[in-house]
Amino acid sequence: MRLVVTGREGQVVSSLLEAGQLAGVDVIAIGRPQLDLANPDTVIEAIAAAKPDIVVSAAAYTAVDQAEDEPDLAFRVNAVGAGKVAEAAGRLGVPVIHLSTDYVFDGSASGDYVETDATAPGSVYGASKLAGEQAVASANPRHLILRTAWVYSPFGKNFVKTMLRLAADRDEIAVVADQWGNPTSALDIADAVLHAAAQLHGNKSFAAFGVYHLAGTGEANWSGFARHILDTSLAFGGPWARVRDIATMDYPTKARRPANSRLSSAKFASAFGWNAPDWRQSTEAVVRSLTRHP
């Protein structure tokens, strides 16, 4: 099975390359300059040349606040570009697995979001990702759209690495306590993608295409997530700092964040027989790797 993934350095891309090597799966990452989602004309040829069995659409414009000032670029990459990736896979007769986000919801629900809940993005980034979902579904009927949230890993920039960096220089870190979600390791996302891809590969009768939620098991607020990161770091000999709870209004951002990003992943578990580990367990694995190899 040859898995072609868009992007070169993202958290999920890096995790897929590592997981693919361990699993003996041929994972090929393609990105700029040969594949540039901001220049959709490059997409069809680049993906065709890679000869995929399955395409994983992981590259995206992810600068949430900056997107408020660059809506045209965010939509060009996250909507038009994502649609072209799905179209390229469709032309080759192969499925596409597209990664999306909790930001397609407004965060006002009281419980876990399920796939049939109404979308209502409250930011340019969220709107561009929702448009991307629609473009993918329209361009290739053989699609899995996987919405995830609060992604972290040993790679790239993310909340876990930020907390460890700040703790090395500060005694106390102020962290928002009134936003809730499911911390999700990109390593677990990669494992789930490989698991789903194995079921798709060569299965022309597969009928469970559509939208799924894929997030870590269990919930946390940002400050609770931070405390677990730093307590784990201390246990492994890494930096530690006190965490002080603050409200969203005390940490203003250009783009509005959902107050509730909790996603139910029950549909994915039922369809593919895969459950994410508890987020605490996955966090500990990432913190361990970062404190041993900062």
Side-chain angles (χ1 to χ4, degrees):
M1 179 173 64
R2 177 182 286 248
L3 216 63
V4 170
V5 55
T6 61
R8 294 193 193 277
E9 298 177 351
Q11 294 189 76
V12 173
V13 175
S14 298
S15 299
L16 272 171
L17 289 168
E18 182 176 279
Q21 187 174 28
L22 292 172
V25 175
D26 191 12
V27 178
I28 308 297
I30 53 174
R32 293 176 292 186
Q34 53 262 59
L35 184 146
D36 183 356
L37 295 188
N39 183 8
D41 291 341
T42 65
V43 173
I44 301 290
E45 182 178 349
I47 290 178
K51 299 181 179 178
D53 293 311
I54 295 171
V55 174
V56 180
S57 175
Y61 180 110
T62 57
V64 175
D65 290 319
Q66 194 171 329
E68 298 296 313
D69 297 322
E70 297 181 332
D72 291 344
L73 179 58
F75 273 85
R76 188 159 71 248
V77 172
N78 289 345
V80 179
K84 279 293 183 183
V85 171
E87 179 187 342
R91 288 190 183 190
L92 297 171
V94 302
V96 62
I97 300 175
H98 175 71
L99 296 181
S100 190
T101 175
D102 57 300
Y103 277 71
V104 300
F105 298 113
D106 64 9
S108 63
S110 57
D112 295 354
Y113 281 99
V114 297
E115 291 80 357
T116 53
D117 284 333
T119 53
S123 65
V124 168
Y125 168 71
S128 71
K129 290 296 289 182
L130 179 58
E133 290 187 8
Q134 295 162 346
V136 166
S138 177
N140 188 343
R142 299 181 70 202
H143 62 267
L144 294 183
I145 294 169
L146 306 180
R147 294 174 180 153
T148 191
W150 293 28
V151 179
Y152 65 92
S153 71
F155 313 109
K157 297 179 179 180
N158 57 71
F159 185 76
V160 171
K161 295 178 79 172
T162 297
M163 289 300 103
L164 295 176
R165 175 176 55 81
L166 292 177
D169 297 323
R170 304 181 186 181
D171 295 327
E172 182 178 88
I173 306 171
V175 184
V176 169
D178 55 359
Q179 296 174 21
W180 291 80
N182 314 102
T184 308
S185 170
L187 301 173
D188 293 336
I189 295 172
D191 185 48
V193 167
L194 291 176
H195 187 86
Q199 296 187 38
L200 295 179
H201 184 227
N203 184 358
K204 296 292 185 181
S205 63
F206 184 87
F209 292 107
V211 177
Y212 292 85
H213 292 169
L214 177 62
T217 298
E219 64 183 49
N221 59 9
W222 284 114
S223 62
F225 187 19
R227 286 189 179 91
H228 187 68
I229 292 164
L230 297 175
D231 288 346
T232 301
S233 172
L234 180 64
F236 292 137
W240 180 87
R242 293 184 301 276
V243 174
R244 176 167 55 88
D245 290 0
I246 61 172
T248 297
M249 68 177 63
D250 298 322
Y251 188 74
T253 55
K254 186 167 289 188
R256 185 170 68 83
R257 267 64 175 173
N260 175 24
S261 288
R262 291 173 292 188
L263 304 176
S264 169
S265 300
K267 180 182 174 184
F268 187 89
S270 176
F272 295 99
W274 187 94
N275 283 285
D278 184 272
W279 69 267
R280 298 167 189 83
Q281 176 184 337
S282 295
T283 300
E284 288 162 12
V286 169
V287 172
R288 184 187 303 115
S289 71
L290 289 171
T291 51
R292 289 179 178 176
H293 306 286

